[in-house]
Amino acid sequence: MANATSLVVVVSGPGGVGKSTIVEKLVARDAQLWLSRSWTTREKRQGEAADAYKFVSREEFEANIAADGFLEWTDFLGNFYGTPLPNPPQGKDTVLEIEVDGAQQVKSLNQSALLLFVLPPSRQEQKARLHGRGDPDQKVEKRLKKAEEEEPVGKAIADYVIINDDLESTVEEMGRIIAYERIQRTAS
Ligand code: ADP
Ligand code: 5GP
């Protein structure tokens, strides 16, 4: 995985909390961050960027599991998602935007990974965000139910828990945490 001195930042949290939106902004304002692109077997959403994931068939995904090509992978609500073995440019810090099971796997592989767990201000707001993103009703319900399982685990393993209420404040807060953790690691 990433070289010895670089930081691995794991951004996790329930579906619809705003992880992708936050990470996109963090990466845009901090040139030292390198975002890993995950693989998934799920279909591309309408309006979703073609490079949001590497969209693959189940067979392609399984072949990459067999080839030990993933740092971590999981089955999330019937689709596979996985982080390919990271290869960040020299000097860059890696950002993984993944769900809780994957975050646990990364933490057990790399104790010094920084886990930022993002929570919604309320379940109602999370629901509104999922609907606003265009998720169909059935998917919204599944993701809300899944959030009830994910949150206690995420909170227990997180280095920091952040509530994504106002987007800009969240991005500021997470940027400050990353800056602080970089200093801590250089100092130790
Ligand atoms: P996730 O990656 O966690 O599943 P997304 O980044 O896709 O979530 O965000 C879900 C929806 O919520 C998107 O439509 C996004 O624009 C919106 N969103 C994200 N953060 C906020 C926020 N702080 N306030 C309001 N809407 C937000
Ligand atoms: P979505 O379908 O909403 O894009 O993603 C569903 C969940 O899978 C989200 O919580 C997202 O963070 C997570 N996810 C995305 N990529 C990966 C990955 O590579 N590994 C794991 N474990 N989860 C991922």
Side-chain angles (χ1 to χ4, degrees):
M1 98 184 274
N3 63 55
T5 51
S6 73
L7 179 62
V8 175
V9 182
V10 180
V11 177
S12 193
V17 72
K19 300 180 295 297
S20 311
T21 312
I22 295 164
V23 161
E24 193 185 319
K25 286 183 175 285
L26 280 172
V27 169
R29 63 205 270 166
D30 182 347
Q32 204 180 322
L33 295 177
W34 174 82
L35 178 62
S36 163
R37 186 161 66 121
S38 296
W39 290 30
T40 184
T41 62
R42 87 150 158 74
E43 304 255 299
K44 189 169 93 60
R45 281 188 205 112
Q46 222 179 358
E48 189 173 36
D51 64 353
Y53 285 100
K54 178 167 172 165
F55 293 96
V56 295
S57 65
R58 195 163 274 244
E59 290 70 30
E60 284 174 276
F61 199 103
E62 281 169 348
N64 202 47
I65 297 172
D68 286 331
F70 289 115
L71 173 68
E72 63 72 36
W73 67 274
T74 199
D75 178 336
F76 182 86
L77 298 175
N79 283 303
F80 291 166
Y81 294 80
T83 304
L85 295 176
N87 189 16
Q90 187 66 30
K92 299 249 182 180
D93 295 327
T94 299
V95 180
L96 307 179
E97 188 253 285
I98 60 180
E99 54 67 68
V100 174
D101 178 49
Q104 265 181 307
Q105 294 180 51
V106 173
K107 266 289 195 185
S108 57
L109 287 167
N110 176 2
Q111 311 287 314
S112 65
L114 172 65
L115 174 51
L116 308 180
F117 192 70
V118 186
L119 287 175
S122 67
R123 198 65 75 215
Q124 206 181 352
E125 173 63 17
Q126 183 191 357
K127 187 174 182 176
R129 289 181 191 174
L130 286 164
H131 278 301
R133 183 173 75 180
D135 282 26
D137 289 358
Q138 202 199 9
K139 284 213 165 151
V140 171
E141 289 314 316
K142 282 191 179 159
R143 280 166 198 253
L144 294 174
K145 197 159 165 234
K146 181 86 180 166
E148 300 288 344
E149 284 169 32
E150 294 178 292
E151 288 182 4
V153 181
K155 284 196 250 184
I157 63 170
D159 294 295
Y160 295 86
V161 176
I162 299 109
I163 297 173
N164 179 25
D165 192 348
D166 173 67
L167 180 59
E168 277 312 311
S169 311
T170 301
V171 174
E172 284 285 329
E173 185 181 355
M174 289 173 61
R176 274 198 302 272
I177 293 169
I178 293 169
Y180 171 75
E181 291 290 333
R182 278 185 184 133
I183 294 166
Q184 290 297 104
R185 279 148 218 257
T186 333
S188 60

